[in-house]
Amino acid sequence: MPCATIVSAPSYATPFSFTSSSTSSSSTSKLLTKQRWKPWPKPLIDSKSMNFHRKGVVRSAISIEKETPETERPETFLRGGDEALSSPSSSVRARFEKMIREAQDSVCNALEAADGGAKFKEDVWSRPGGGGGISRVLQDGAVWEKAGVNVSVVYGVMPPDAYRAAKAAASPDQKPGPIPFFAAGISSVLHPKNPFAPTLHFNYRYFETDAPKDAPGAPRQWWFGGGTDLTPAYIFEEDVKHFHATQKRACDKFDPTFYPRFKKWCDDYFYIKHRGERRGLGGIFFDDLNDYDQEMLLSFATECANSVIPAYIPIIEKRKDLPFTEHQKAWQQLRRGRYVEFNLVYDRGTTFGLKTGGRIESILVSLPLTARWEYDHKPEEGSEEWKLLDACINPREWV
């Protein structure tokens, strides 16, 4: 959507909304039994589809200008002629950019402190027509295998297929032309080394489209999206309850219906259809949110972003130094494989970033440094690994 995802150069592009059916009524033991392999009904890639994608790359390359490396961080990535700059105190664009850049600083400082030595590598980039971003990655630290925290402020023109990827409510029957857009966001994926320390993803974004008057299928509009979710390899119930309780407190400050609604949305979004399981143990997720006051939603996104450190760092401090076995490390790597599958196959943010010519290093920063696939792997029933998989197949209420 990120890290989608903002896992992407448009850092807003990490999870976007998605609806899927649940498998909660199926028993875990049935889903974990060996299944017959079925051949694909037709090749996954053929010459026609390859030609289509080649054309798509050409189209997307003109959607967002190529980035230019910068040696210093600018005060703002907003365009000089942007009307938002005429009144920064009342501009949602300017205040959202300020929020995500402050959140990036605070999260990176907390991650470096937890690691105890490693530092983030930073890339600053801009685009000639306005916009840019700051990508930070910490790799091969004492605690973090790979941690990415990106912000971006992006102007561009979406081809119609990218609009449908960005907008959950877009109808496949709508045929809009190229759509001018603005987007800003922060996205982060944090992969610790210790298999008892969970992976975390968070992403908060603000999006505007500005279609020509009377253009079909894509009117001028704005929306907020985002979420924070936890992906452990092993379940420590007190950790998961602490994480979900922190998300609930942030939501309850604004609307008591937010947490149950966004928790279910998260469970549904991070569903790996071809596996019949969720990527992890959830959290909150929302998208296309514009049916509340804009000021309230800006405050809500800010509260959620500020809740990342208290929700996550206490868990890392408890788990980062626990001893583990090769078997436990291998299981973590298998779960990382699920992470890769979801992000590359289903995540709408990743799709959007690729279709709009986003910065590839930022789009793929969500992927772990290492992952593992074993043929027909099934954890032993009743084992700690099986308990994690059971919770991914049958989502639980943690608070």
Side-chain angles (χ1 to χ4, degrees):
M1 149 112 335
C3 246
T5 313
I6 213 169
V7 278
S8 65
S11 56
Y12 48 86
T14 292
F16 289 88
S17 61
F18 168 81
T19 303
S20 68
S21 60
S22 166
T23 59
S24 59
S25 60
S26 302
S27 69
T28 304
S29 58
K30 278 188 177 180
L31 287 169
L32 298 184
T33 57
K34 184 181 292 187
Q35 298 177 357
R36 293 181 180 271
W37 289 100
K38 295 182 180 180
W40 289 98
K42 60 181 179 181
L44 290 176
I45 300 176
D46 57 28
S47 58
K48 290 183 180 180
S49 67
M50 290 295 288
N51 290 334
F52 171 80
H53 289 306
R54 288 192 191 103
K55 292 177 183 176
V57 171
V58 173
R59 287 200 303 270
S60 67
I62 63 172
S63 299
I64 301 179
E65 298 170 300
K66 184 69 176 176
E67 66 273 0
T68 302
E70 301 289 349
T71 57
E72 296 183 358
R73 304 172 210 152
E75 183 177 342
T76 179
F77 287 107
L78 294 175
R79 284 174 175 166
D82 194 323
E83 63 181 2
L85 290 176
S86 62
S87 179
S89 63
S90 60
S91 161
V92 172
R93 290 186 181 187
R95 285 182 292 151
F96 194 85
E97 181 193 13
K98 181 176 184 292
M99 183 274 282
I100 60 177
R101 291 182 66 170
E102 289 175 351
Q104 184 185 43
D105 288 342
S106 61
V107 169
C108 288
N109 289 339
L111 298 180
E112 288 181 347
D115 194 89
K119 299 294 181 183
F120 277 89
K121 170 181 165 45
E122 177 179 283
D123 290 325
V124 181
W125 49 274
S126 66
R127 292 199 168 98
I134 303 170
S135 299
R136 294 179 184 166
V137 176
L138 189 161
Q139 194 165 286
D140 277 328
V143 171
W144 309 107
E145 178 184 284
K146 185 179 179 186
V149 188
N150 297 341
V151 297
S152 66
V153 176
V154 178
Y155 300 83
V157 178
M158 287 185 284
D161 53 349
Y163 176 76
R164 287 189 289 272
K167 192 76 174 71
S171 167
D173 298 328
Q174 294 173 338
K175 304 293 183 184
I179 307 300
F181 74 92
F182 166 87
I186 180 170
S187 182
S188 176
V189 178
L190 313 174
H191 294 295
K193 287 184 171 180
N194 194 303
F196 297 127
T199 287
L200 183 85
H201 159 260
F202 73 91
N203 173 285
Y204 293 97
R205 58 195 174 274
Y206 175 68
F207 205 113
E208 292 180 6
T209 60
D210 189 10
K213 187 176 181 181
D214 300 325
R220 182 186 181 100
Q221 55 188 295
W222 58 264
W223 66 90
F224 289 85
T228 306
D229 61 281
L230 196 70
T231 305
Y234 290 91
I235 297 178
F236 292 89
E237 294 223 3
E238 65 270 29
D239 293 352
V240 186
K241 289 178 179 178
H242 163 78
F243 174 80
H244 276 269
T246 306
Q247 307 312 307
K248 185 176 186 300
R249 282 194 297 272
C251 290
D252 287 351
K253 291 180 180 180
F254 297 87
D255 190 319
T257 68
F258 275 5
Y259 174 75
R261 175 184 169 193
F262 298 157
K263 193 267 184 189
K264 183 181 185 305
W265 203 339
C266 187
D267 289 337
D268 289 344
Y269 177 77
F270 292 106
Y271 180 67
I272 308 172
K273 289 186 285 187
H274 62 273
R275 296 286 189 181
E277 63 192 62
R278 277 86 191 155
R279 188 176 76 176
L281 300 186
I284 59 171
F285 175 85
F286 58 91
D287 204 4
D288 298 336
L289 208 59
N290 61 5
D291 51 352
Y292 296 84
D293 177 75
Q294 195 174 32
E295 289 294 323
M296 182 267 232
L297 292 178
L298 175 60
S299 297
F300 173 58
T302 301
E303 181 69 25
C304 290
N306 290 340
S307 297
V308 168
I309 293 173
Y312 185 56
I313 294 299
I315 298 173
I316 292 298
E317 293 295 343
K318 284 195 293 184
R319 308 301 173 195
K320 65 181 183 178
D321 296 320
L322 292 180
F324 58 87
T325 66
E326 289 185 9
H327 169 79
Q328 290 160 340
K329 184 65 178 178
W331 172 248
Q332 179 200 47
Q333 299 302 293
L334 285 167
R335 297 310 301 174
R336 293 270 171 85
R338 299 295 199 267
Y339 211 95
V340 171
E341 290 175 29
F342 176 85
N343 283 24
L344 294 184
V345 176
Y346 298 113
D347 185 65
R348 288 174 54 217
T350 302
T351 300
F352 179 83
L354 295 172
K355 286 182 176 179
T356 55
R359 184 174 184 267
I360 193 67
E361 290 300 325
S362 297
I363 295 170
L364 299 181
V365 77
S366 67
L367 301 184
L369 198 60
T370 60
R372 182 183 181 95
W373 284 265
E374 290 183 17
Y375 179 74
D376 198 30
H377 181 275
K378 298 289 190 298
E380 181 181 351
E381 186 167 352
S383 67
E384 293 302 313
E385 294 79 12
W386 186 91
K387 291 175 184 177
L388 182 280
L389 186 53
D390 177 53
C392 291
I393 292 171
N394 302 301
R396 293 168 53 181
E397 297 300 324
W398 299 98
V399 294

